[in-house]
Amino acid sequence: MIPATRNGLLLIGVLFHLVYLLSIFDIYFRSPLVHGMTPHRIPLRAPAKRLVLFVADGLRADKIFEPYHNKTTDTTDELAPFLLNKLRTQASWGVSHTRVPTESRPGHVATIAGFYEDVSAVTKGWKMNPVEFDSVFNESRHTWSFGSPDILPMFAHGASDKSKVDTFMYPPEFEDFSGNGDRLDTWVFSEADRFFDRAAVHGSELNQMMHQDQIVFFFHLLGIDTNGHGFKPYSPEYLNNIRHVDRGIKRLVERLEQFYSDDGQTAYVFTADHGMNDRGAHGDGHPDNTRTPLIAWGAGVARTLPAADGQTAPGHTAFSRPWNLNAFERKDVNQADIAPLMASLIGIPLPLNSVGTLPLAYLNATDEFRARAALVNALQVLEQYRVKHDQKQQTEMFFKPYMPMHQPTNSPEHILARIRQAIDLGQYAKAEAECSLLISLCLEGLRYFQRYDWLLLRSIVSAGYLGWIIYSLLFIFKKYVLPPAGPDASKDTYRSSSSKLIAVIGCLVFIAFSAMFYRQHSPAMYYAYVVFPAYFWTEIVQQLPLVQQVAADYMRSSVRWRPLAFIAAYVVVLEALVYAYFDRRVYSVAFALLAIVWPIVVSPKLRRRHSKLLLLWTCFCLLTSVFTLLPVERNDHLGLVMAGGALITISGFVAWHYSPQFVLPPPGMTGKQAHAAIALDRLIILIETLLVGIATVLGPLTSKTTETRGHLPRAHQLACWAVLIVSILLPLLHGSRLNQAARDQHYLYRLVTIYLAFATPFVLLTVSYESIFYFSYSIVLLLWLSIERALYFERAEDQLLAPAEQTRLSSLLTPQTSLSSRNAGRAESVLKLGRKLELSDLRTGIMFLFFVNVAFFGTGNVASLASFSIDSVYRLITVFDPFIMGALLLFKIFIPFFLVSAVFGVLNRSLELPPFSLFLFVLSTTDVMTVNFFFLVRDDGSWLDIGMSISHFCISGLFVLFTIVLFVLSHALVGSALIPSPPAQASSSSSSGIKGSKKQR
């Protein structure tokens, strides 16, 4: 049944949204891995005995290939002369295109294991293996790996025989973003030298192992990524690190050739796991993140012959024209194609889960070897298709095979027969073409089975979201809109007389779906997906009398168009907020409309009374509208940081100056004790303001120090942490809930202290215009609160007072008139009448939703957290620590939400609404947006679009949890604050008026 309390509804809502948040991973992003395949290898002698893999973490393609113009010396040279010389004389090369998420673990998995890790792996942790998978290292005879403790262990632990993968790693604390990251690569090259010194001892076990075939050396070079994060990809540190890597690889290749007496049986592959955008971030699908270099040379690798003079070789686009490499064919690959290439070079089985296509253009081998390598590639992908086909056929009740694979001429058996016949007849080109066809069909078939349950699951999830919206709205109507159904409050007279029969039918529907899922061996989450719509719709049908009552009240309304217009406008605004996820300029337009239209549509009486308030509203709305027009990818700008901090500091001094009007003594305290308490409250404001000023100076000063390419000074780091912690804890320890001398504080005092307390950490974590946004956004929130209070009081005045009384009360609202305690109590008694939710409260709800979205979009882009620069945390920590850095980054993102929650908590009490009623209304209706994003989730096309669609759905789906957190925060921050009626507020200059005010509970 519909729960009797809001807590019951919230519990159901939380469980529902948590479960349905996972639905996109079961529908759109099921793990591509299957098990039980037979390994395949090329039945010919491999062209190379050993493989050397270099991965330059965070290196984007253009930075290594394009000529570098040194502005200081006015010369142009190459950052990687050794690698580019190999490209021109011995190598095949191109751009390796990565996929989202462009992070280190997924990039290395694609390169070394040959498959694109499903996005849901992010929920299981990317540092170890969330699922078991095969890799080139696992198939090798032995692998020695050197580099980062963040990458190497996952391939060592993922090996079937742990002893076949040796790792050499530097300590985690080496990953310090404040210093020059090339020391990480120096460590790798130095450790490799020490390793070869040990291996040079003839007759040693290590020497013998290194002279076996099918061995791999892996060098993970993290310095470029570290310098990119710390100093940006256009910085001298990033570019010089490319030179450093090039010199290190040159020395290492010479050492390898010396060790093996230059036997010519070593294959080399140089690539990167992901690129990096100009802000020093990665993770999303921006081309700077998805385009990485690939250079391969050595045994078994084809040499790219230069084109004729003046001719442009194939493969080049506008992207590569500035590189001066037009004479050499550019052979682009997908990142997963590198794994089958490496396996083919040293003659090991292809990784079992690889979906890469062997780039035959990179192979220097006989035509027969190329054809047979292509056949092995096709067989390995076909194995995955057959396993997936058989699994579905065994479990599905009404199995439908992938029909293109069952055509008479396109069945796997027929294609394989044609391939083998072509190889036997020496028609190798034809065999390669047939292999390409088979691989393409198998990959499409795998994708078909990935989408096999789409129609059913999307229908269930859609029914669940629609059911939740109606279910929760019925609760709101029942509790906060309609009068009690009858004299017996314990009896639910809004319930259908056939409730038991409806409940039985609902149970039977759930049992039928559960039986089908059990027959098909479906995941446990499928049962959870179906239980919610079964429950919601059963309850909705049982509450048909409530629906009839709502309809009857609507039909009795004298103005029927007004509710429909409000609802239509509300839905339009929700859809506009959906569009705003793709284009932040929507918020600028909305702010402009609020600035101009709202002061016009209010009553003339309100305009006369609050002309200055409305003027400030217009000015600050227009100012705030600017921020969503600014680019989210911003560089460090210390001038803007200091300007924002200065504005906040000045506003703090202004608040301190006017604080006597809203700083109240504790109840029952008079004389010196009251003056001491007031002085302490004012001192808190002053201290918080001074802390903001210190942060305004300390943050840029620390940034200047770290920009000298040295480590973060310990004294600066401790000072930043101290200022941050003191600023946050001071108002909490002084607040009415935690103070032993508990007392009530005016809501303006609480809001000012909250604003200043969070301003300090926000300024410390600011790299550009964010602190100016914080100042402007906070003022807009306070003005919104003031206008809403004025509107509500005016409406209450018009509805409840006689004309003569309205005249008297209007005089009380005049700021020049002193307000006596008696009159204050008379005015407040108007507001103390309880009330239900009204149609006009829709505006307040949608305004709250609007400001919540602006809190996120004001300085960032919801498409990716990569739009929030990691530079923000460098004043507090520079040693790589994902947990602390991520926590600080999220804390900065959440700070504006603390403000909006506090303001909305005050507003909810000011409007005398039942607690949580507006929150519940917003919570119920925002799933209109979630359903939009659910159907906009993409698993194909641009990887930028895929990443954006996932982020959109997850953020919208988590809004219910976020709303609850905001509600709890509002009570924690302003729960016991004094909220006087508007007349008392208007006459706050009168001490008698303040003392005569009463708290709203």
Side-chain angles (χ1 to χ4, degrees):
M1 58 179 293
I2 289 183
T5 65
R6 66 165 187 255
N7 291 338
L9 179 72
L10 289 175
L11 178 60
I12 294 172
V14 168
L15 293 175
F16 166 70
H17 285 85
L18 285 177
V19 169
Y20 269 45
L21 186 68
L22 303 175
S23 64
I24 63 167
F25 299 112
D26 276 325
I27 298 174
Y28 299 100
F29 303 107
R30 292 289 301 277
S31 173
L33 299 184
V34 291
H35 301 284
M37 291 80 68
T38 301
H40 293 273
R41 59 186 297 174
I42 303 170
L44 299 174
R45 182 178 179 274
K49 289 183 63 175
R50 66 197 69 92
L51 171 76
V52 181
L53 172 63
F54 301 100
V55 176
D57 202 305
L59 176 60
R60 56 194 245 190
D62 57 334
K63 292 303 179 183
I64 187 173
F65 291 135
E66 67 185 4
Y68 171 64
H69 179 70
N70 191 324
K71 295 181 181 179
T72 304
T73 61
D74 196 27
T75 58
T76 301
D77 59 0
E78 295 175 341
L79 294 175
F82 174 76
L83 289 170
L84 293 180
N85 180 62
K86 291 292 183 183
L87 182 155
R88 295 185 177 97
T89 59
Q90 301 180 32
S92 287
W93 73 285
V95 173
S96 170
H97 296 275
T98 73
R99 290 191 179 184
V100 168
T102 47
E103 299 289 348
S104 291
R105 177 192 164 99
H108 282 87
V109 169
T111 301
I112 300 168
F115 73 93
Y116 301 104
E117 194 162 41
D118 60 304
V119 182
S120 63
V122 71
T123 65
K124 306 165 187 172
W126 276 345
K127 285 202 170 182
M128 288 298 171
N129 291 6
V131 290
E132 294 301 322
F133 61 84
D134 194 17
S135 71
V136 170
F137 297 171
N138 186 53
E139 294 292 350
S140 69
R141 191 180 304 277
H142 201 92
T143 294
W144 291 272
S145 55
F146 303 79
S148 168
D150 298 326
I151 297 299
L152 271 55
M154 67 181 179
F155 292 104
H157 288 280
S160 56
D161 181 0
K162 305 295 188 295
S163 64
K164 70 163 53 179
V165 180
D166 290 338
T167 58
F168 301 86
M169 302 175 291
Y170 41 75
E173 57 268 20
F174 269 39
E175 300 178 25
D176 189 339
F177 290 107
S178 64
N180 199 317
D182 61 10
R183 66 187 181 280
L184 302 177
D185 301 334
T186 298
W187 187 96
V188 170
F189 295 132
S190 299
E191 187 65 24
D193 284 335
R194 290 189 288 269
F195 174 79
F196 281 106
D197 288 341
R198 295 192 300 271
V201 179
H202 292 285
S204 65
E205 181 181 358
L206 179 58
N207 185 281
Q208 294 175 1
M209 292 174 62
M210 290 178 60
H211 281 85
Q212 295 177 324
D213 61 355
Q214 299 181 348
I215 61 173
V216 176
F217 297 96
F218 170 46
F219 299 96
H220 176 237
L221 306 169
L222 185 59
I224 293 175
D225 182 74
T226 303
N227 278 328
H229 285 307
F231 307 113
K232 307 297 183 293
Y234 48 78
S235 66
E237 286 74 16
Y238 186 92
L239 301 176
N240 288 332
N241 205 153
I242 298 175
R243 287 194 176 97
H244 181 63
V245 165
D246 184 71
R247 290 193 297 265
I249 290 176
K250 177 183 178 181
R251 188 173 70 250
L252 191 52
V253 169
E254 292 171 350
R255 186 69 188 268
L256 278 160
E257 292 176 350
Q258 178 186 1
F259 182 86
Y260 288 110
S261 301
D262 196 16
D263 61 3
Q265 297 190 60
T266 306
Y268 300 91
V269 174
F270 173 85
T271 187
D273 53 348
H274 56 76
M276 184 168 290
N277 61 35
D278 284 340
R279 295 178 302 103
H282 53 82
D284 58 24
H286 191 280
D288 286 342
N289 296 331
T290 60
R291 292 188 294 215
T292 60
L294 174 61
I295 304 174
W297 74 95
V301 179
R303 173 190 173 189
T304 301
L305 297 176
D309 291 342
Q311 298 295 315
T312 298
H316 286 277
T317 63
F319 176 59
S320 58
R321 287 195 188 104
W323 299 348
N324 295 337
L325 298 173
N326 293 342
F328 302 91
E329 181 181 1
R330 173 181 153 189
K331 307 172 184 177
D332 286 10
V333 301
N334 292 320
Q335 194 172 42
D337 299 342
I338 299 175
L341 171 63
M342 295 190 297
S344 299
L345 288 172
I346 57 175
I348 61 175
L350 274 64
L352 293 175
N353 298 111
S354 172
V355 295
T357 301
L358 175 64
L360 296 174
Y362 276 74
L363 287 179
N364 178 22
T366 64
D367 291 342
E368 181 184 1
F369 183 91
R370 289 161 51 95
R372 292 193 180 277
L375 174 58
V376 168
N377 190 187
L379 288 171
Q380 180 268 326
V381 179
L382 178 60
E383 281 284 333
Q384 297 180 68
Y385 170 81
R386 283 174 169 167
V387 169
K388 196 72 174 178
H389 174 277
D390 293 344
Q391 287 177 351
K392 281 293 182 184
Q393 189 174 36
Q394 292 171 7
T395 59
E396 293 296 321
M397 296 178 63
F398 308 101
F399 177 69
K400 295 181 180 179
Y402 179 59
M403 294 311 298
M405 293 285 280
H406 291 268
Q407 301 298 324
T409 58
N410 275 349
S411 67
E413 292 75 15
H414 283 84
I415 298 176
L416 287 174
R418 295 200 299 267
I419 293 171
R420 292 191 171 99
Q421 182 182 26
I423 292 175
D424 292 340
L425 297 175
Q427 300 173 347
Y428 301 119
K430 179 181 178 181
E432 291 174 13
E434 293 286 355
C435 288
S436 179
L437 172 63
L438 180 55
I439 291 173
S440 176
L441 286 172
C442 290
L443 292 177
E444 291 173 3
L446 286 171
R447 183 169 180 77
Y448 168 78
F449 289 121
Q450 285 287 104
R451 295 184 167 192
Y452 194 87
D453 296 326
W454 270 29
L455 178 61
L456 175 64
L457 289 177
R458 291 207 290 188
S459 300
I460 292 173
V461 170
S462 299
Y465 276 116
L466 182 60
W468 161 255
I469 293 172
I470 300 175
Y471 170 83
S472 53
L473 284 176
L474 288 177
F475 175 89
I476 293 171
F477 271 104
K478 186 175 180 180
K479 295 295 181 182
Y480 302 126
V481 177
L482 297 178
D488 186 1
S490 63
K491 184 178 181 181
D492 188 357
T493 56
Y494 283 131
R495 201 166 187 82
S496 172
S497 58
S498 305
S499 293
K500 292 184 179 179
L501 176 61
I502 296 170
V504 170
I505 295 174
C507 289
L508 290 176
V509 170
F510 173 72
I511 291 172
F513 275 100
S514 298
M516 182 180 68
F517 293 152
Y518 180 79
R519 165 66 178 78
Q520 296 178 173
H521 302 286
S522 298
M525 290 303 298
Y526 283 28
Y527 299 88
Y529 296 148
V530 78
V531 71
F532 284 104
Y535 170 72
F536 291 150
W537 286 102
T538 298
E539 288 296 321
I540 291 168
V541 176
Q542 289 177 334
Q543 295 290 324
L544 282 179
L546 177 58
V547 177
Q548 294 170 352
Q549 179 65 43
V550 173
D553 289 348
Y554 168 72
M555 294 304 296
R556 286 194 295 269
S557 173
S558 59
V559 188
R560 296 179 185 175
W561 64 267
R562 193 164 177 263
L564 294 179
F566 261 93
I567 294 171
Y570 194 91
V571 173
V572 168
V573 172
L574 287 176
E575 292 299 320
L577 291 177
V578 170
Y579 184 75
Y581 275 59
F582 302 94
D583 190 342
R584 296 165 64 241
R585 292 176 296 180
V586 170
Y587 296 105
S588 298
V589 174
F591 269 120
L593 291 175
L594 287 172
I596 298 170
V597 176
W598 206 13
I600 295 176
V601 298
V602 297
S603 66
K605 180 170 58 177
L606 189 72
R607 284 199 298 272
R608 289 194 305 270
R609 288 177 176 175
H610 302 285
S611 57
K612 293 181 179 179
L613 178 65
L614 295 174
L615 178 61
L616 286 173
W617 167 261
T618 298
C619 294
F620 277 92
C621 277
L622 293 176
L623 174 61
T624 310
S625 70
V626 173
F627 295 99
T628 46
L629 297 175
L630 299 176
V632 295
E633 296 186 357
R634 53 196 176 274
N635 299 323
D636 293 1
H637 198 302
L638 297 183
L640 292 176
V641 174
M642 298 190 72
L647 286 172
I648 298 172
T649 303
I650 292 171
S651 67
F653 281 119
V654 171
W656 175 79
H657 176 74
Y658 288 101
S659 59
Q661 299 184 26
F662 55 80
V663 174
L664 310 176
M669 189 179 293
T670 59
K672 293 183 178 180
Q673 292 180 332
H675 285 294
I678 292 174
L680 178 61
D681 283 346
R682 295 193 68 204
L683 180 62
I684 296 297
I685 295 178
L686 183 61
I687 293 174
E688 289 287 357
T689 302
L690 293 176
L691 288 174
V692 175
I694 293 172
T696 302
V697 176
L698 186 60
L701 181 64
T702 304
S703 296
K704 284 293 184 182
T705 304
T706 55
E707 282 177 6
T708 61
R709 307 337 188 198
H711 290 276
L712 174 64
R714 187 67 172 173
H716 284 206
Q717 183 182 28
L718 292 176
C720 290
W721 276 107
V723 169
L724 183 148
I725 293 172
V726 171
S727 176
I728 295 175
L729 292 183
L730 188 62
L732 295 180
L733 295 176
H734 180 64
S736 60
R737 288 188 177 276
L738 299 180
N739 193 351
Q740 291 181 352
R743 67 182 189 276
D744 297 298
Q745 298 169 336
H746 194 281
Y747 78 92
L748 283 178
Y749 175 81
R750 292 299 293 164
L751 292 179
V752 167
T753 54
I754 291 167
Y755 161 70
L756 293 173
F758 288 112
T760 298
F762 199 83
V763 170
L764 284 174
L765 296 170
T766 290
V767 297
S768 184
Y769 60 78
E770 305 101 290
S771 55
I772 304 178
F773 165 78
Y774 180 87
F775 164 76
S776 178
Y777 177 73
S778 302
I779 300 299
V780 168
L781 287 176
L782 183 60
L783 294 172
W784 173 52
L785 170 63
S786 302
I787 294 174
E788 288 283 5
R789 282 169 53 84
L791 285 170
Y792 174 63
F793 187 77
E794 182 188 55
R795 186 167 71 250
E797 174 188 339
D798 292 341
Q799 291 176 351
L800 301 179
L801 297 182
E805 287 295 307
Q806 291 185 32
T807 303
R808 290 183 55 204
L809 189 55
S810 297
S811 66
L812 298 178
L813 290 170
T814 305
Q816 292 79 8
T817 305
S818 175
L819 181 67
S820 68
S821 300
R822 179 181 178 184
N823 284 338
R826 172 73 178 98
E828 188 176 357
S829 67
V830 176
L831 297 178
K832 293 300 290 181
L833 299 176
R835 73 183 186 91
K836 296 286 187 178
L837 272 177
E838 300 175 1
L839 197 61
S840 58
D841 294 320
L842 285 175
R843 185 200 67 250
T844 307
I846 199 64
M847 289 281 284
F848 167 68
L849 183 59
F850 170 75
F851 282 117
V852 168
N853 280 269
V854 171
F856 194 90
F857 280 101
T859 59
N861 185 345
V862 76
S864 171
L865 286 182
S867 65
F868 298 94
S869 175
I870 197 173
D871 292 5
S872 302
V873 306
Y874 289 162
R875 294 157 194 162
L876 299 167
I877 182 174
T878 55
V879 176
F880 180 65
D881 189 320
F883 177 78
I884 296 178
M885 288 181 163
L888 287 171
L889 188 59
L890 289 174
F891 177 61
K892 176 191 174 183
I893 294 170
F894 287 152
I895 284 176
F897 297 115
F898 299 154
L899 295 176
V900 74
S901 66
V903 169
F904 194 68
V906 172
L907 181 59
N908 194 81
R909 289 173 52 201
S910 297
L911 302 184
E912 298 185 314
L913 289 169
F916 222 102
S917 56
L918 265 184
F919 276 103
L920 285 176
F921 175 75
V922 173
L923 182 150
S924 303
T925 53
T926 50
D927 277 328
V928 172
M929 300 170 60
T930 308
V931 172
N932 276 267
F933 293 128
F934 174 74
F935 283 99
L936 289 173
V937 172
R938 300 182 59 180
D939 70 334
D940 57 2
S942 163
W943 281 95
L944 174 61
D945 294 338
I946 293 173
M948 287 178 62
S949 67
I950 296 171
S951 298
H952 293 168
F953 174 78
C954 290
I955 291 175
S956 181
L958 286 171
F959 190 83
V960 60
L961 302 179
F962 200 57
T963 302
I964 296 171
V965 171
L966 290 179
F967 176 74
V968 174
L969 278 173
S970 69
H971 274 266
L973 295 172
V974 297
S976 62
L978 173 68
I979 304 179
S981 63
Q985 179 187 354
S987 304
S988 59
S989 61
S990 169
S991 61
S992 62
I994 291 291
K995 293 178 182 178
S997 304
K998 297 181 181 179
K999 290 184 297 179
Q1000 291 185 10
R1001 294 295 186 187

